[in-house]
Amino acid sequence: MKRLIIAIDGPAGAGKSTVAKLTAQKLNYNYIDTGAMYRAVAWQTLQQGVEPSNQAIAELAQNLDLKLDYRNGKTNITVASQDITEAIRTPEISRLVPKIAQVAEVRAVMLKLQQDMAKLGGVVMDGRDIGTHVLPHADIKIFLTASIAERAKRRWQELTAKGYTIELTELEAEIAYRDKEDCERELAPLLAAPDAVHIDTTELSIDATVTRIIDLCREKQSGV
């Protein structure tokens, strides 16, 4: 049976990563966390104290010894053999990522890596421009959405569980700003592909969302 290429797009906090991971697990596919790739560049930028000029960040991205290792439902991220899986999930990194993602030279580096990873199929990839820009010929395209209030609540629960103290209203403002930045950027903006299936996860469980995607995959493979 053909091993499909599945693209999952959507705004921050819509559940893309969780849904993508579980979908990959159930299908025995590889999961590629593109957001983590940009977060790794942001992390290295902070580590090296690089000024956020396009040229400096582009050179950093080009030379980044980045590895994604997806095993047993978890992606481990390393840079130069240092595990940064948790280090890239801080609020500071989250605030820096939109700026990194707007640098054309960085996106060109990431694009090549991501397309190479997906060549053989059997891949679930999530991000903001996967179905429109990175993998425009993906077999299945999903656009996940959820209300800003719901996405902020999820992010707040995630951060407080890790010991961070942050106001819910602050997160709502950050997510609204991130949406604006992602949608209005000139290069590969957040946009649903014309042939994407829209799924609103505001009141939909993770399991129900994954089941919906698995069903779409089965339909595709059976030619329905």
Side-chain angles (χ1 to χ4, degrees):
M1 191 170 286
K2 180 184 177 183
R3 290 172 64 78
L4 304 173
I5 296 174
I6 304 168
I8 301 179
D9 289 307
K16 298 186 301 296
S17 295
T18 303
V19 167
K21 286 176 191 173
L22 289 173
T23 300
Q25 272 186 280
K26 288 184 178 295
L27 294 172
N28 196 27
Y29 280 11
N30 190 28
Y31 165 61
I32 300 171
D33 184 349
T34 64
M37 296 171 74
Y38 286 100
R39 284 175 175 272
V41 175
W43 178 85
Q44 187 75 340
T45 300
L46 291 175
Q47 291 297 303
Q48 295 188 0
V50 173
E51 288 297 320
S53 69
N54 288 16
Q55 183 178 354
I57 295 176
E59 288 178 3
L60 181 149
Q62 187 70 54
N63 297 313
L64 193 65
D65 180 14
L66 171 66
K67 289 184 173 58
L68 278 68
D69 183 21
Y70 180 67
R71 293 184 188 179
N72 303 318
K74 183 180 179 183
T75 300
N76 289 313
I77 318 295
T78 60
V79 167
S81 300
Q82 180 181 349
D83 190 325
I84 62 168
T85 305
E86 293 301 323
I88 62 173
R89 299 294 174 183
T90 66
E92 186 179 20
I93 296 292
S94 295
R95 285 190 283 269
L96 181 57
V97 166
K99 296 177 182 177
I100 300 292
Q102 290 185 43
V103 179
E105 294 85 353
V106 172
R107 297 198 74 86
V109 173
M110 297 292 108
L111 176 67
K112 176 69 165 56
L113 286 173
Q114 292 157 7
Q115 290 178 334
D116 285 346
M117 290 175 181
K119 274 181 181 176
L120 299 178
V123 159
V124 182
M125 188 181 294
D126 72 307
R128 285 168 177 73
D129 65 341
I130 309 305
T132 55
H133 188 66
V134 180
L135 303 174
H137 303 298
D139 300 293
I140 300 287
K141 298 177 186 178
I142 305 294
F143 193 81
L144 289 187
T145 61
S147 68
I148 288 178
E150 178 62 24
R151 288 186 279 140
K153 184 178 77 173
R154 292 172 186 172
R155 183 68 175 149
W156 180 84
Q157 289 171 337
E158 177 187 339
L159 289 173
T160 53
K162 292 180 179 179
Y164 294 103
T165 301
I166 191 165
E167 293 295 327
L168 187 58
T169 52
E170 183 181 343
L171 283 174
E172 287 183 357
E174 278 191 13
I175 286 175
Y177 174 76
R178 180 75 186 271
D179 285 355
K180 187 173 185 295
E181 289 276 291
D182 287 340
C183 292
E184 294 181 358
R185 69 187 184 206
E186 290 185 18
L187 184 65
L190 171 63
L191 184 69
D195 52 345
V197 176
H198 290 244
I199 302 177
D200 189 327
T201 68
T202 303
E203 297 183 4
L204 197 63
S205 71
I206 294 295
D207 287 343
T209 305
V210 172
T211 297
R212 176 84 190 280
I213 295 172
I214 297 293
D215 287 345
L216 288 169
C217 291
R218 287 175 178 155
E219 290 172 8
K220 182 73 175 182
Q221 288 172 322
S222 64
V224 174

